[in-house]
mmCIF file of all heavy atoms in Angstrom:
data_model
loop_
_atom_site.group_PDB
_atom_site.id
_atom_site.type_symbol
_atom_site.label_atom_id
_atom_site.label_comp_id
_atom_site.label_asym_id
_atom_site.label_seq_id
_atom_site.Cartn_x
_atom_site.Cartn_y
_atom_site.Cartn_z
ATOM 1 N N LEU V 160 -45.774 -1.311 -93.819
ATOM 2 C CA LEU V 160 -44.399 -1.767 -93.656
ATOM 3 C C LEU V 160 -43.568 -0.629 -93.082
ATOM 4 O O LEU V 160 -43.632 0.502 -93.569
ATOM 5 C CB LEU V 160 -43.819 -2.209 -95.003
ATOM 6 C CG LEU V 160 -44.581 -3.336 -95.717
ATOM 7 C CD1 LEU V 160 -43.959 -3.594 -97.101
ATOM 8 C CD2 LEU V 160 -44.576 -4.617 -94.875
ATOM 9 N N GLY V 161 -42.790 -0.903 -92.052
ATOM 10 C CA GLY V 161 -41.930 0.111 -91.445
ATOM 11 C C GLY V 161 -40.470 -0.280 -91.581
ATOM 12 O O GLY V 161 -39.991 -1.170 -90.871
ATOM 13 N N ILE V 162 -39.755 0.363 -92.495
ATOM 14 C CA ILE V 162 -38.329 0.073 -92.676
ATOM 15 C C ILE V 162 -37.577 0.670 -91.495
ATOM 16 O O ILE V 162 -37.641 1.874 -91.260
ATOM 17 C CB ILE V 162 -37.795 0.701 -93.977
ATOM 18 C CG1 ILE V 162 -38.607 0.233 -95.189
ATOM 19 C CG2 ILE V 162 -36.309 0.399 -94.149
ATOM 20 C CD1 ILE V 162 -38.265 0.995 -96.478
ATOM 21 N N GLU V 163 -36.861 -0.151 -90.764
ATOM 22 C CA GLU V 163 -36.095 0.351 -89.625
ATOM 23 C C GLU V 163 -34.610 0.393 -90.000
ATOM 24 O O GLU V 163 -33.968 -0.646 -90.099
ATOM 25 C CB GLU V 163 -36.300 -0.535 -88.392
ATOM 26 C CG GLU V 163 -35.586 0.031 -87.171
ATOM 27 C CD GLU V 163 -35.898 -0.717 -85.872
ATOM 28 O OE1 GLU V 163 -36.569 -1.765 -85.922
ATOM 29 O OE2 GLU V 163 -35.460 -0.251 -84.807
ATOM 30 N N PRO V 164 -34.081 1.599 -90.211
ATOM 31 C CA PRO V 164 -32.637 1.656 -90.437
ATOM 32 C C PRO V 164 -31.942 1.257 -89.141
ATOM 33 O O PRO V 164 -32.327 1.706 -88.066
ATOM 34 C CB PRO V 164 -32.366 3.120 -90.795
ATOM 35 C CG PRO V 164 -33.503 3.893 -90.221
ATOM 36 C CD PRO V 164 -34.682 2.942 -90.170
ATOM 37 N N LEU V 165 -30.938 0.390 -89.249
ATOM 38 C CA LEU V 165 -30.199 -0.034 -88.056
ATOM 39 C C LEU V 165 -28.854 0.680 -87.978
ATOM 40 O O LEU V 165 -28.306 1.112 -89.001
ATOM 41 C CB LEU V 165 -29.988 -1.550 -88.079
ATOM 42 C CG LEU V 165 -30.904 -2.384 -87.171
ATOM 43 C CD1 LEU V 165 -32.355 -2.055 -87.394
ATOM 44 C CD2 LEU V 165 -30.658 -3.866 -87.359
ATOM 45 N N HIS V 166 -28.354 0.789 -86.778
ATOM 46 C CA HIS V 166 -27.042 1.398 -86.553
ATOM 47 C C HIS V 166 -26.005 0.749 -87.481
ATOM 48 O O HIS V 166 -26.032 -0.466 -87.673
ATOM 49 C CB HIS V 166 -26.647 1.186 -85.092
ATOM 50 C CG HIS V 166 -25.472 2.003 -84.675
ATOM 51 N ND1 HIS V 166 -24.183 1.712 -85.056
ATOM 52 C CD2 HIS V 166 -25.393 3.130 -83.920
ATOM 53 C CE1 HIS V 166 -23.356 2.615 -84.545
ATOM 54 N NE2 HIS V 166 -24.071 3.489 -83.840
ATOM 55 N N PRO V 167 -25.096 1.552 -88.043
ATOM 56 C CA PRO V 167 -24.085 0.990 -88.951
ATOM 57 C C PRO V 167 -23.262 -0.141 -88.350
ATOM 58 O O PRO V 167 -22.702 -0.947 -89.100
ATOM 59 C CB PRO V 167 -23.206 2.210 -89.267
ATOM 60 C CG PRO V 167 -24.139 3.374 -89.153
ATOM 61 C CD PRO V 167 -25.063 3.037 -88.006
ATOM 62 N N ALA V 168 -23.208 -0.252 -87.043
ATOM 63 C CA ALA V 168 -22.471 -1.372 -86.437
ATOM 64 C C ALA V 168 -23.100 -2.717 -86.784
ATOM 65 O O ALA V 168 -22.464 -3.755 -86.634
ATOM 66 C CB ALA V 168 -22.402 -1.208 -84.921
ATOM 67 N N PHE V 169 -24.353 -2.710 -87.259
ATOM 68 C CA PHE V 169 -25.042 -3.954 -87.615
ATOM 69 C C PHE V 169 -25.043 -4.236 -89.116
ATOM 70 O O PHE V 169 -25.694 -5.178 -89.558
ATOM 71 C CB PHE V 169 -26.496 -3.899 -87.120
ATOM 72 C CG PHE V 169 -26.608 -3.692 -85.631
ATOM 73 C CD1 PHE V 169 -27.203 -2.556 -85.116
ATOM 74 C CD2 PHE V 169 -26.116 -4.632 -84.747
ATOM 75 C CE1 PHE V 169 -27.299 -2.360 -83.740
ATOM 76 C CE2 PHE V 169 -26.203 -4.448 -83.377
ATOM 77 C CZ PHE V 169 -26.795 -3.318 -82.867
ATOM 78 N N ALA V 170 -24.340 -3.427 -89.889
ATOM 79 C CA ALA V 170 -24.422 -3.559 -91.346
ATOM 80 C C ALA V 170 -24.003 -4.940 -91.830
ATOM 81 O O ALA V 170 -24.575 -5.467 -92.780
ATOM 82 C CB ALA V 170 -23.563 -2.480 -92.020
ATOM 83 N N ALA V 171 -23.023 -5.551 -91.186
ATOM 84 C CA ALA V 171 -22.515 -6.843 -91.671
ATOM 85 C C ALA V 171 -23.338 -8.024 -91.191
ATOM 86 O O ALA V 171 -23.202 -9.121 -91.708
ATOM 87 C CB ALA V 171 -21.060 -7.035 -91.236
ATOM 88 N N GLU V 172 -24.220 -7.781 -90.207
ATOM 89 C CA GLU V 172 -24.910 -8.927 -89.623
ATOM 90 C C GLU V 172 -26.428 -8.824 -89.590
ATOM 91 O O GLU V 172 -27.100 -9.840 -89.454
ATOM 92 C CB GLU V 172 -24.382 -9.176 -88.200
ATOM 93 C CG GLU V 172 -22.929 -9.621 -88.209
ATOM 94 C CD GLU V 172 -22.312 -9.672 -86.821
ATOM 95 O OE1 GLU V 172 -22.473 -10.691 -86.149
ATOM 96 O OE2 GLU V 172 -21.690 -8.665 -86.418
#
Side-chain angles (χ1 to χ4, degrees):
Chain V
L160 302 175
I162 304 171
E163 184 173 7
L165 257 52
H166 192 286
F169 302 117
E172 293 171 85

